[in-house]
Amino acid sequence: MNTLRCLWPVARRVQAVPFPKATLPQFVRAYSSKNFEYIQVSQPKPGVGQVTLNRPKALNALCTPLINELNEALNDFNASDDTTVIILTGSQKAFAAGADIKEMAPLTFSEAYTKSFIESWSSFTTQVKKPIIAAVSGHALGGGCELAMMCDLIYCTETANFGQPEIKLGTIPGAGGSQRLTRAIGKSKAMELVLTGKSFSGTEAEKWGVAARAFPTYEALMEETLKTAETIAGYSRVAVQACKEVVNKSQDLALRDGVEYERRVFHGLFGSQDQKIGMKAFAEKKKAEWSHS
């Protein structure tokens, strides 16, 4: 129902890149029997869940139905005993080129305000306790950039196209872009990007700390993202969730309070079975067999 005119502005200099024939190895299996319209769900490795945004004709533009499906899939993975870590990705051409302008344009203030428009877009940041890795290739503009920054870790291609171009549409970032970008790169640089609507590359995203790593090709991005996810999935689920919790808490608390919070969680893990299993295995020079309890 949407055309490219409904998306956040995309740099004209970017040439079209053909969609890949496959983004996952052949052993990938479908994770859920649910029929989603805008996403695909799979489990590429044991302990690893994957959600792939799937609106290719609209460059994965974000609309409320897509976000509803995304939240449902992420909550399913969060509740699953078979999943420790989640990958969120799009296509080679676009992670998500922006929000669906056609959905937003006719809204009045009272409609947006009373119906809490886009509030649900970031609900998974508090509801999902398992780490989420964003694998970003192509465009991640406006809401797409915000969605990537909502994740716990960003891997991207060097040519990925990030940005908050809302100023060009007479508005501002509405799903946390100004807040998360400022925390990642500092006030001055964030102010420049938000006020001008300029894009920045995956190479710059890595350099500035928005992304953890940038890779030269899409294939390398997906391969390394899966390797990292598989590594995380090999650890105690209890410890993995605790790691996510304390790192995220550092964004909310002053240093002293954060250190105290971390210490309490550290003490709490002494009540888990996996802490005993892990330390015993280390002392005996054996591989830990986690109970996830």
Side-chain angles (χ1 to χ4, degrees):
M1 69 177 185
N2 302 295
T3 66
L4 296 185
R5 290 176 297 176
C6 299
L7 309 179
W8 291 122
V10 174
R12 292 183 180 178
R13 66 177 183 277
V14 179
Q15 296 181 347
V17 179
F19 284 93
K21 294 182 179 179
T23 58
L24 295 171
Q26 293 300 313
F27 51 75
V28 173
R29 67 178 178 86
Y31 177 80
S32 174
S33 60
K34 295 179 180 178
N35 293 320
F36 291 114
E37 183 177 358
Y38 298 116
I39 65 173
Q40 294 175 341
V41 179
S42 60
Q43 191 174 31
K45 289 284 188 177
V48 180
Q50 177 157 324
V51 180
T52 303
L53 305 183
N54 188 37
R55 290 188 74 195
K57 292 182 180 180
L59 295 180
N60 293 333
L62 304 176
C63 58
T64 298
L66 182 151
I67 294 297
N68 290 340
E69 290 186 357
L70 174 61
N71 282 330
E72 181 179 355
L74 292 176
N75 285 328
D76 286 347
F77 276 132
N78 191 56
S80 171
D81 291 335
D82 295 329
T83 305
T84 300
V85 59
I86 305 165
I87 295 171
L88 176 59
T89 191
S91 68
Q92 181 174 354
K93 191 174 183 180
F95 176 75
D100 191 330
I101 307 303
K102 226 171 189 180
E103 179 182 17
M104 291 192 294
L107 290 177
T108 65
F109 164 75
S110 60
E111 288 172 334
Y113 182 68
T114 59
K115 295 180 181 179
S116 300
F117 180 62
I118 75 171
E119 184 175 335
S120 65
W121 291 29
S122 59
S123 62
F124 74 82
T125 59
T126 56
Q127 294 176 358
V128 178
K129 307 302 180 184
K130 297 173 182 178
I132 303 174
I133 304 173
V136 178
S137 177
H139 304 301
L141 300 170
C145 185
E146 291 172 312
L147 180 62
M149 291 191 293
M150 291 176 201
C151 298
D152 301 298
L153 178 64
I154 298 177
Y155 280 179
C156 64
T157 59
E158 293 173 353
T159 56
N161 184 33
F162 294 91
Q164 299 291 163
E166 290 85 353
I167 189 71
K168 298 178 181 180
L169 301 176
T171 186
I172 66 170
S178 64
Q179 305 304 298
R180 292 188 175 91
L181 190 61
T182 301
R183 282 167 169 75
I185 66 178
K187 176 185 174 182
S188 184
K189 180 62 69 176
M191 189 71 78
E192 177 189 38
L193 294 172
V194 172
L195 284 175
T196 64
K198 289 182 179 178
S199 298
F200 57 99
S201 68
T203 299
E204 290 170 319
E206 180 187 30
K207 178 181 177 182
W208 298 341
V210 175
R213 297 176 68 187
F215 301 93
T217 66
Y218 174 72
E219 291 73 21
L221 164 68
M222 298 309 297
E223 180 181 356
E224 292 302 318
T225 299
L226 190 57
K227 283 183 180 180
T228 296
E230 191 175 12
T231 296
I232 296 171
Y235 296 130
S236 161
R237 194 173 302 131
V238 179
V240 167
Q241 291 190 36
C243 285
K244 169 172 174 169
E245 181 180 351
V246 294
V247 173
N248 281 340
K249 189 60 74 172
S250 73
Q251 304 300 293
D252 303 326
L253 300 175
L255 179 59
R256 180 174 179 178
D257 293 334
V259 170
E260 291 180 356
Y261 185 90
E262 176 192 74
R263 189 182 306 118
R264 297 295 178 264
V265 176
F266 171 72
H267 290 162
L269 287 176
F270 280 80
S272 73
Q273 291 296 318
D274 281 348
Q275 182 268 342
K276 306 305 178 190
I277 291 170
M279 292 193 175
K280 185 174 185 293
F282 179 82
E284 296 176 354
K285 298 182 179 180
K286 296 180 180 179
K287 181 179 179 180
E289 299 292 338
W290 307 112
S291 68
H292 303 298
S293 61

